[in-house]
């Protein structure tokens, strides 16, 4: 599986997540030469490059922009939304990477189905992470 880490996230999360999930690819805008590409054309391009999912902070893609949501659906891409890290620098990278790593066991089994959205949120009481999923 191929995951695209959106440019609104630190590209540094690709390495630690990729070290844990070695059979998957975690690519960034720099890897794909896709910096600054608008979302709808980006989703089409990612589909042509056989990506499976977009990892992002941009919740507006689903809530406010129905054209972007439709483009995700048409491209066959899953959407994985991470919460904003309240810290920056190395601490912020580790928080984002850790959040994604903690949510992946719940998300990965769902990726064989139709395009879905996964809102990842911290849940300190139980498993550490909750990934709410619903169809795009």
């Amino acid at each position: 599986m191929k995951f695209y880490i959106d440019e609104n996230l630190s590209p540094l999360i690709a390495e630690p997540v990729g070290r844990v999930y070695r059979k998957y690819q975690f690519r960034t805008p720099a890897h794909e030469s896709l910096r600054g590409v608008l979302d709808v054309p980006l989703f089409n391009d990612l589909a042509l490059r056989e990506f499976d999912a977009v990892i992002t902070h941009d919740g507006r893609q689903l809530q406010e922009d129905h054209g972007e949501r439709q483009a995700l659906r048409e491209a066959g891409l899953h959407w994985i939304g991470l919460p904003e890290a309240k810290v920056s620098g190395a601490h912020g990278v580790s928080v984002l990477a850790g959040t994604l790593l903690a949510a992946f066991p719940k998300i990965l089994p769902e990726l064989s189905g139709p395009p879905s959205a996964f809102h990842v949120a911290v849940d300190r009481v139980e498993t550490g992470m909750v990934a709410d999923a619903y169809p795009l």
Side-chain angles (χ1 to χ4, degrees), residues 76-110:
L77 292 168
H78 296 280
W79 182 93
I80 301 169
L82 295 180
E84 294 282 339
K86 304 287 188 217
V87 293
S88 60
H91 190 189
V93 170
S94 63
V95 166
L96 288 172
T99 299
L100 186 57
L101 287 168
F104 253 37
K106 290 185 177 186
I107 293 172
L108 289 173
E110 303 294 325

Side-chain angles (χ1 to χ4, degrees), residues 8 34 105 123:
N8 61 19
L34 291 172
D123 176 7

Side-chain angles (χ1 to χ4, degrees), residues 52 72-73 76-79 109-118 133-136:
D52 297 288
L72 280 163
R73 195 178 304 124
L77 292 168
H78 296 280
W79 182 93
E110 303 294 325
L111 296 181
S112 61
S116 297
F118 301 90
Y134 56 87
L136 277 175

Side-chain angles (χ1 to χ4, degrees), residues 3 7 10 15-16 39 42 45 50-51 62 66 70-71 83 86-87 93-95 108 110 112 115 120 133-134:
F3 296 89
E7 64 187 338
S10 171
E15 184 178 347
D39 287 337
L42 172 67
D45 202 353
E50 300 181 344
F51 276 85
L62 303 182
H66 298 291
Q70 181 63 29
K86 304 287 188 217
V87 293
V93 170
S94 63
V95 166
L108 289 173
E110 303 294 325
S112 61
V120 178
Y134 56 87

